[in-house]
Amino acid sequence: MRKLFWAFGLLLLLAACGQREEAVEGNLILTNYAPEAISNITVEYGGGSASSEEAVSDTQLCAFTLPEGEDRAYTVSFETAEGNTVSGNFTDDFTGGNTVYLRADQEDGVWRLEYDEVS
């Protein structure tokens, strides 16, 4: 009986891991590289905004779809576990299927929001 319990638990674990590898849709991808979760992620741009209240933990990401446009100015902000708000202003080209990758990270207690290098 105990072996059956462990086999069932392992099956559930593998199923949950598989779900995390689903394709991410959006042209603005924010990845959190900090060990602390961030939440209330908001993207504001001329003519609209998008947000996600869901917490994003270490190496998890959040995707948004901004309308196509050259030189689109936008602001990304998020809330830290301590209740502080971190934000950054960016201008990017969202035409022709371009995707922009941003990263949130914390080093020595200081949060950074910047472009992410995608390999």
Side-chain angles (χ1 to χ4, degrees):
M1 182 69 148
R2 190 174 194 150
K3 288 182 182 179
L4 182 60
F5 173 76
W6 284 106
F8 183 70
L10 181 60
L11 181 62
L12 287 176
L13 179 62
L14 291 174
C17 291
Q19 292 174 357
R20 291 184 182 183
E21 295 188 16
E22 293 178 8
V24 175
E25 295 184 22
N27 57 7
L28 177 62
I29 312 293
L30 172 65
T31 304
N32 179 15
Y33 290 99
E36 295 182 31
I38 60 174
S39 61
N40 298 321
I41 303 165
T42 303
V43 179
E44 296 177 340
Y45 53 89
S49 66
S51 64
S52 173
E53 294 179 8
E54 186 175 334
V56 179
S57 299
D58 187 20
T59 66
Q60 290 182 327
L61 49 89
C62 193
F64 299 95
T65 301
L66 274 63
E68 281 202 20
E70 291 182 16
D71 298 327
R72 179 165 304 283
Y74 59 98
T75 301
V76 176
S77 63
F78 61 84
E79 189 174 304
T80 67
E82 299 84 22
N84 298 321
T85 300
V86 176
S87 66
N89 298 314
F90 303 91
T91 302
D92 290 297
D93 179 7
F94 289 98
T95 60
N98 290 341
T99 301
V100 175
Y101 297 89
L102 299 177
R103 65 181 289 134
D105 205 351
Q106 183 185 37
E107 186 175 316
D108 297 328
V110 177
W111 282 92
R112 294 186 325 253
L113 178 59
E114 59 193 11
Y115 289 104
D116 194 3
E117 296 293 323
V118 178
S119 53

